[in-house]
């Protein structure tokens, strides 16, 4: 829109006010108001003044009827025709060609008058927007259903969203003046602020509201395609904006002079609708950080604002290129509504988006706008703008090779850490957290530091209490020279340590130069458990002449103590650039530092270190054709990460196995959970908990229910035939069997584990091993 709008009445002279057409329109405007004024005057003279006061007030329907009554009387075909510029009348042709445009403009006039008639909230703007939408659909011959259909509801929802976007800058400006009022009193006293200050901002709301996407929702998809294809569409859209601002101005008019000024600005506004092809880019400019535009389906991008208008405007095209080099590109350009090209009629509004990640690199980017005419042999209007694209993109990839599920991907905080089978995994003890960051593009705006923090529980926002457990600063020349203050991809839980790499630099004199080698990082782990007895992190390099870190041992901040440092946690990676801007990424993780319980209590009724006679278990006096079961009793138990939660990964019990060894021999697997047939080949892993340890984590969250007493269960049935040289002739068990009359020492060993990933522990997991020593005598009679 032009700078002179009906939203900003001034005392300037208007030569056009002496025009006969203008005078006709002014009289029509006054005449439209006159019957209303006369009716109110009659009421003032009637006994109604003596009637008792009630709570009844003029309702919304009354206000709508009043607006339609006044402006249907005013904005007639004759008034509209007289006020339209001559060039517009010639372009539009006969009145029947632009009757829809007139009726549409009348709806706009009513809407502008209603929302500006008094202080309105955003909610009341939305109500009047609903009436405006119904008015437009009615005059176009496609009335809104009662109740609206699903499709119609979707259109109105889109309109309310567009209004919110258009209204927000107005609220932001108002909030800024409230937050920083120190200069207001001086401006009022100096006369810089008066009763009309800022009124033009209301018209700018209309400007921002009526863009291509909202016009499609306002008219309906079918009507939009029909009318937007006509040569008069751009002028009719501009006419609507002029009518909106006229209505807003008239709503605040108090005198005949006010009406005259409003009408004069309306005439000037219509004249600007006849401008030639107009192209202007106002944003992005300077240093711009890419951001997300979910409604447009853009993960990271920048919005492009400007003007693409003109009476003959047919469409516009946006293009981009990197650093002013190479041909212009159209890929990565997204137009409002997902169109293949831009629709004309955008004035100081949204032209489209540049979807920057991953196609556009940080740094200097150039945007070009070209507006094309519907008339032949008219050169397009083209303009360019450049800006610096700042990319602050960070993400936690995963832990110990277990990465975030894709989909939804690393940028979704709810993406769980899953293995190749898509099973959510848990982690414990000392770990490495992996992630990446790309920060840079604008001059001097690179990585300053990054920190890792945790919060108990799963969350998808950065609010709440966070405990920082790791920090790395990018503050040495060597890091900067390596470019790692711009982009890095490595284990986040690593610590920088520079060490010398000596070589001779002949200029100016030979001397030792310090540099870094390999991946510039030491191998370090985050110890999630209490530091007492925790997994120490060692710097492997000694101090040297370059001022590097001395050799030391240290522990990072562990997890919170409740629930034995286990449960659901959210990790936050925060990367701070050199200007203090911070970018976060969240990752939900299951941690497990709870105990594994494994013990063997007895074989049959015989405790550890006792002597067992095979005859006590031999069936039928030593019949090799039937099993000789010896119950192996004990406990194989892993606490649930969350008591009462029996799903993965809270239930991450891995299993248990049993092995037996004769003194001087090797280990042999014992079938679990019971004996098999010779040669007793399996199954070899028990997958269910056995028994109960009678204890739980003392700080369990949630707390457990009643904990049973220590209870042993049957881990396996050791078939004693396997230890008898007569019944077991398998050569693979030659070092295990006992000859009749032979005694020897044995050890049965139980191993219990869970599936938590613990790289600092044996087997990279929580596991316990419980030996059970005893002596066995084969007291069966020799074979006859």
């Amino acid at each position: 829109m032009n700078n002179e709008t009906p939203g900003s009445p001034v005392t300037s002279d208007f030569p056009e006010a002496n025009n006969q057409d203008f005078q006709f329109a002014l009289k029509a405007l006054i005449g439209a108001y006159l019957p209303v004024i006369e009716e109110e005057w009659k009421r003032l003279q009637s006994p109604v003044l003596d009637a008792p006061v009630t709570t009844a007030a003029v309702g919304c329907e009354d206000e709508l009827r009043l607006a339609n009554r006044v402006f249907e009387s005013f904005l007639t075909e004759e008034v509209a025709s007289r006020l339209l510029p001559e060039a517009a009348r010639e372009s539009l042709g006969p009145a029947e060609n632009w009757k829809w445009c007139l009726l549409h403009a009348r709806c706009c006039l009513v809407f502008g008058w209603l929302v500006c008639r008094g202080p309105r909230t955003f909610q009341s703007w939305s109500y009047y927007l609903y009436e405006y939408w119904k008015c437009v659909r009615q005059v176009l011959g496609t009335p809104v259903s009662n109740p609206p259909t699903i499709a119609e509801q979707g259109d109105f929802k889109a309109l309310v969203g567009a209004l919110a976007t258009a209204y927000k800058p107005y609220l932001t400006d108002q909030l800024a003046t409230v937050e920083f009022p120190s200069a207001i009193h001086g401006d009022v006293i100096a006369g810089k602020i008066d009763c009309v200050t800022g009124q033009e901002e209301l018209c700018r709301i209309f400007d921002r509201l009526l863009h291509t996407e909202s016009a499609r929702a306002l008219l309906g998809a079918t009507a939009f395609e029909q009318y937007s294809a006509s040569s008069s569409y751009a002028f009719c859209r501009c006419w609507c904006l002029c009518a909106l601002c006229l209505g807003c101005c008239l709503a605040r008019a108090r005198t005949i002079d006010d009406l005259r000024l409003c009408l004069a600005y309306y005439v000037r506004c219509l004249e600007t609708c006849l401008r030639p092809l107009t192209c202007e880019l106002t944003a992005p400019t300077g240093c711009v950080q890419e951001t997300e535009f979910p409604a447009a389906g853009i993960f990271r991008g920048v919005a492009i604002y400007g003007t693409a208008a003109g009476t003959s405007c047919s469409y516009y095209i946006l293009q981009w290129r990197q650093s002013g080099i190479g041909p212009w590109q159209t890929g990565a350009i997204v137009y409002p509504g997902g169109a293949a090209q831009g629709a004309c009629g955008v004035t100081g509004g949204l032209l489209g988006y540049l979807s920057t990640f991953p196609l556009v690199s940080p740094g200097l980017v150039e945007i070009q706008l070209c507006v094309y005419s519907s008339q032949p042999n008219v050169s397009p209007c083209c303009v360019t703008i450049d800006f610096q694209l700042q990319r602050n993109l960070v993400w936690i990839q995963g832990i110990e090779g277990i990465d975030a599920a894709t989909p939804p991907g690393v940028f979704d905080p709810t993406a769980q850490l899953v293995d190749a089978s898509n099973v959510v995994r848990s982690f414990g003890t000392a770990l490495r957290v992996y992630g990446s960051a790309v920060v840079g593009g604008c001059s001097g705006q690179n990585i300053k530091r990054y920190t890792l923090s945790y919060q108990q529980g799963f969350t998808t926002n950065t609010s709440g209490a966070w405990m920082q457990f790791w920090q790395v600063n990018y503050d040495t020349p060597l890091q900067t020279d390596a470019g790692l203050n711009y982009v890095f991809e490595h284990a986040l839980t690593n610590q920088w340590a520079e060490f010398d790499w000596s070589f001779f630099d002949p200029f100016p004199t030979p001397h030792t130069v310090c540099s870094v080698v390999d991946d510039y990082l030491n191998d370090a782990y985050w110890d999630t458990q209490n530091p007492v007895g925790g997994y120490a992190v060692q710097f492997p390099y000694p101090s040297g002449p370059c001022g590097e870190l001395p050799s030391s041992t240290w522990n990072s901040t562990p997890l919170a103590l409740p629930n034995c440092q286990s449960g659901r946690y959210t990790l936050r990676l925060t990367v701070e650039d050199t200007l203090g801007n911070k970018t976060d990424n969240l990752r939900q993780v299951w941690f497990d530092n709870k105990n594994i319980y494994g013990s063997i209590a007895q074989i049959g009724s015989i405790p550890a270190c006792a002597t067992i006679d095979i005859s006590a278990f031999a069936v039928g006096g030593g019949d090799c054709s039937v099993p000789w079961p010896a119950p192996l009793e004990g406990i194989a138990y892993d606490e649930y990460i969350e008591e009462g939660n029996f799903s993965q990964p809270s239930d991450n019990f891995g299993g248990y196995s049993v092995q037996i060894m004769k003194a001087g021999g090797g280990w042999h697997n014992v079938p679990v959970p019971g004996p098999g047939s010779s040669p007793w080949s399996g199954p070899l892993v028990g997958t269910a908990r056995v028994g109960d340890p009678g204890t739980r984590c003392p700080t369990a969250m949630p707390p457990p229910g009643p904990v049973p007493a220590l209870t042993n269960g049957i881990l396996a049935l050791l078939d004693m035939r396997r230890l008898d040289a007569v019944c077991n002739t398998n050569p693979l068990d030659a070092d295990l069997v006992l000859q009749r009359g032979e005694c020897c020492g044995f050890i049965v060993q139980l191993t219990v584990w869970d599936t938590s990933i613990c790289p600092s522990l044996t087997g990279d997991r929580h596991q316990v091993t419980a030996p059970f020593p005893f002596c066995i005598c084969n007291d069966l009679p020799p074979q006859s």
Side-chain angles (χ1 to χ4, degrees):
M1 295 293 293
N2 60 327
N3 292 327
E4 296 180 345
T5 70
S8 53
V10 295
T11 58
S12 304
D13 291 331
F14 290 89
E16 55 267 50
N18 297 320
N19 180 279
Q20 288 184 354
D21 291 332
F22 182 89
Q23 290 297 324
F24 178 86
L26 181 60
K27 290 176 182 179
L29 179 59
I30 296 172
Y33 273 102
L34 191 57
V36 177
I37 297 172
E38 288 176 344
E39 288 176 10
E40 290 300 310
W41 174 248
K42 290 179 181 179
R43 294 185 66 206
L44 287 172
Q45 294 177 316
S46 71
V48 73
L49 293 176
D50 300 326
V53 178
T54 68
T55 57
V58 176
C60 298
E61 293 296 329
D62 295 325
E63 192 178 37
L64 283 167
R65 280 192 292 269
L66 174 61
N68 286 318
R69 176 184 174 186
V70 170
F71 295 118
E72 284 177 8
S73 176
F74 160 62
L75 197 58
T76 63
E77 181 180 311
E78 183 176 4
V79 169
S81 180
R82 283 177 174 246
L83 291 181
L84 287 175
E86 183 178 354
R89 291 197 295 267
E90 293 176 357
S91 175
L92 293 173
E96 58 267 20
N97 291 353
W98 50 271
K99 184 177 180 180
W100 75 271
C101 194
L102 167 63
L103 297 176
H104 183 196
R106 189 184 293 158
C107 293
C108 300
L109 178 60
V110 170
F111 178 49
W113 186 78
L114 289 171
V115 294
C116 294
R117 196 167 181 234
R120 306 292 192 193
T121 63
F122 175 73
Q123 290 91 335
S124 60
W125 270 68
S126 299
Y127 166 75
Y128 290 119
L129 180 65
Y130 181 63
E131 297 298 331
Y132 171 51
W133 174 58
K134 291 196 299 181
C135 178
V136 171
R137 293 289 180 99
Q138 183 70 38
V139 301
L140 294 181
T142 56
V144 175
S145 305
N146 186 19
T149 65
I150 297 298
E152 290 170 342
Q153 291 181 42
D155 283 342
F156 183 62
K157 180 180 180 181
L159 275 176
V160 174
L163 177 61
T165 302
Y167 200 81
K168 186 176 180 180
Y170 171 76
L171 292 180
T172 303
D173 290 343
Q174 296 302 305
L175 180 61
T177 60
V178 174
E179 293 287 347
F180 304 99
S182 57
I184 299 295
H185 73 284
D187 289 343
V188 172
I189 294 172
K192 297 179 180 179
I193 295 178
D194 59 19
C195 64
V196 298
T197 299
Q199 290 183 1
E200 69 279 1
E201 294 301 323
L202 294 173
C203 279
R204 290 177 183 157
I205 295 177
F206 301 136
D207 246 347
R208 293 190 292 266
L209 171 63
L210 293 185
H211 52 72
T212 304
E213 288 177 274
S214 60
R216 183 179 283 106
L218 180 66
L219 276 63
T222 302
F224 177 79
E225 296 302 327
Q226 174 188 346
Y227 290 108
S228 64
S230 69
S231 59
S232 61
Y233 176 76
F235 179 83
C236 289
R237 177 192 177 276
C238 187
W239 187 357
C240 174
L241 287 171
C242 293
L244 283 164
C245 290
L246 172 60
C248 190
C249 183
L250 292 175
R252 297 191 301 271
R254 298 295 180 266
T255 67
I256 297 298
D257 284 341
D258 289 342
L259 296 180
R260 183 177 66 87
L261 289 173
C262 290
L263 199 58
Y265 272 118
Y266 171 66
V267 171
R268 290 195 175 183
C269 181
L270 290 174
E271 290 173 351
T272 66
C273 293
L274 294 172
R275 59 190 164 183
L277 287 182
T278 304
C279 56
E280 181 184 13
L281 287 171
T282 56
T285 184
C287 176
V288 179
Q289 181 173 325
E290 62 185 1
T291 188
E292 185 177 8
F293 297 96
I298 296 174
F299 171 65
R300 287 293 185 275
V302 297
I304 304 170
Y305 289 89
T307 297
T311 305
S312 66
C313 180
S314 176
Y315 64 93
Y316 65 86
I317 293 293
L318 292 168
Q319 297 177 297
W320 67 278
R321 62 182 178 183
Q322 198 87 49
S323 303
I325 301 173
W328 292 102
Q329 303 181 57
T330 56
I333 293 292
V334 178
Y335 294 97
Q341 57 193 21
C344 292
V346 181
T347 303
L350 178 69
L351 294 169
Y353 306 91
L354 176 61
S355 181
T356 52
F357 183 82
L359 297 177
V360 185
S361 301
L364 185 63
V365 180
E366 192 174 6
I367 302 287
Q368 182 185 71
L369 164 67
C370 285
V371 180
Y372 292 85
S373 174
S374 59
Q375 298 177 356
N377 304 319
V378 176
S379 298
C381 175
C382 295
V383 66
T384 62
I385 194 173
D386 58 61
F387 68 100
Q388 285 186 309
L389 175 65
Q390 174 70 19
R391 176 161 294 157
N392 284 24
L393 198 60
V394 305
W395 63 95
I396 298 175
Q397 182 71 32
I399 297 178
E400 293 298 331
I402 305 298
D403 293 340
T406 302
V410 294
F411 298 108
D412 188 323
T414 66
Q416 299 294 299
L417 299 183
V418 299
D419 60 19
S421 301
N422 207 37
V423 174
V424 179
R425 303 298 296 271
S426 55
F427 306 85
T429 61
L431 305 162
R432 290 168 296 184
V433 181
Y434 288 84
S436 302
V438 179
V439 175
C442 296
S443 301
Q445 197 167 334
N446 301 119
I447 298 174
K448 180 179 181 180
R449 68 171 59 91
Y450 72 79
T451 58
L452 285 167
S453 309
Y454 68 74
Q455 182 178 143
Q456 284 188 281
F458 284 175
T459 183
T460 57
N461 60 70
T462 57
S463 62
W466 293 89
M467 173 62 71
Q468 179 179 310
F469 66 86
W470 208 279
Q471 176 171 303
V472 171
N473 294 312
Y474 288 79
D475 53 7
T476 71
L478 294 175
Q479 293 167 326
T480 302
D481 290 346
L484 293 166
N485 64 326
Y486 165 64
V487 57
F488 65 80
E489 185 172 2
H490 56 69
L492 299 172
T493 47
N494 275 329
Q495 179 64 36
W496 284 87
E498 300 175 6
F499 62 101
D500 64 312
W501 171 33
S502 301
F503 65 93
F504 285 111
D505 183 352
F507 305 103
T509 57
H511 63 281
T512 298
V513 177
C514 295
S515 186
V516 289
V517 297
D518 297 324
D519 62 351
Y520 313 100
L521 298 164
N522 290 327
D523 195 14
Y525 289 75
W526 168 38
D527 193 348
T528 66
Q529 290 185 296
N530 194 312
V532 178
Y535 183 82
V537 183
Q538 177 75 37
F539 291 128
Y541 302 114
S543 59
C546 300
E548 59 276 7
L549 291 170
S551 177
S552 62
T553 299
W554 61 288
N555 286 281
S556 57
T557 305
L559 293 173
L561 294 177
N563 203 36
C564 293
Q565 300 177 297
S566 304
R568 306 180 198 218
Y569 282 79
T570 303
L571 302 186
R572 182 183 70 180
L573 167 63
T574 302
V575 178
E576 181 180 353
D577 67 25
T578 49
L579 295 185
N581 300 309
K582 295 181 179 179
T583 306
D584 299 296
N585 180 252
L586 304 180
R587 181 66 55 236
Q588 296 175 353
V589 184
W590 285 84
F591 287 108
D592 179 17
N593 286 308
K594 289 189 173 181
N595 289 332
I596 293 282
Y597 301 91
S599 62
I600 300 175
Q602 57 196 42
I603 297 180
S605 60
I606 302 170
C609 301
T611 298
I612 298 175
D613 293 330
I614 288 183
S615 63
F617 300 96
V619 177
D623 184 355
C624 292
S625 64
V626 294
W628 304 346
L632 183 66
E633 298 185 17
I635 296 169
Y637 194 90
D638 171 44
E639 292 192 51
Y640 295 94
I641 297 178
E642 292 178 341
E643 290 293 334
N645 184 349
F646 306 120
S647 60
Q648 289 182 329
S650 178
D651 179 3
N652 61 6
F653 180 74
Y656 70 90
S657 63
V658 179
Q659 294 178 304
I660 187 171
M661 180 180 69
K662 177 184 176 184
W667 289 106
H668 295 259
N669 293 318
V670 176
V672 173
S677 59
S678 179
W680 304 280
S681 58
L684 302 177
V685 174
T687 57
R689 292 171 175 81
V690 176
D692 195 292
T695 185
R696 296 292 187 274
C697 166
T699 59
M701 294 175 55
V707 179
L710 188 150
T711 306
N712 292 314
I714 296 178
L715 297 164
L717 294 174
L718 179 61
D719 193 336
M720 286 299 188
R721 291 178 300 169
R722 192 174 182 186
L723 306 184
D724 177 38
V726 175
C727 292
N728 185 5
T729 59
N730 187 341
L732 297 177
D733 288 343
D735 62 341
L736 184 64
V737 298
L738 291 171
Q739 299 297 324
R740 301 284 174 95
E742 180 185 4
C743 295
C744 191
F746 282 77
I747 295 178
V748 172
Q749 178 173 279
L750 168 68
T751 302
V752 185
W753 64 89
D754 67 15
T755 60
S756 290
I757 297 173
C758 311
S760 65
L761 302 179
T762 301
D764 294 339
R765 65 191 184 189
H766 293 130
Q767 73 175 38
V768 293
T769 301
F772 185 91
F774 59 99
C775 180
I776 297 182
C777 287
N778 191 346
D779 61 338
L780 293 173
Q783 189 177 23
S784 58

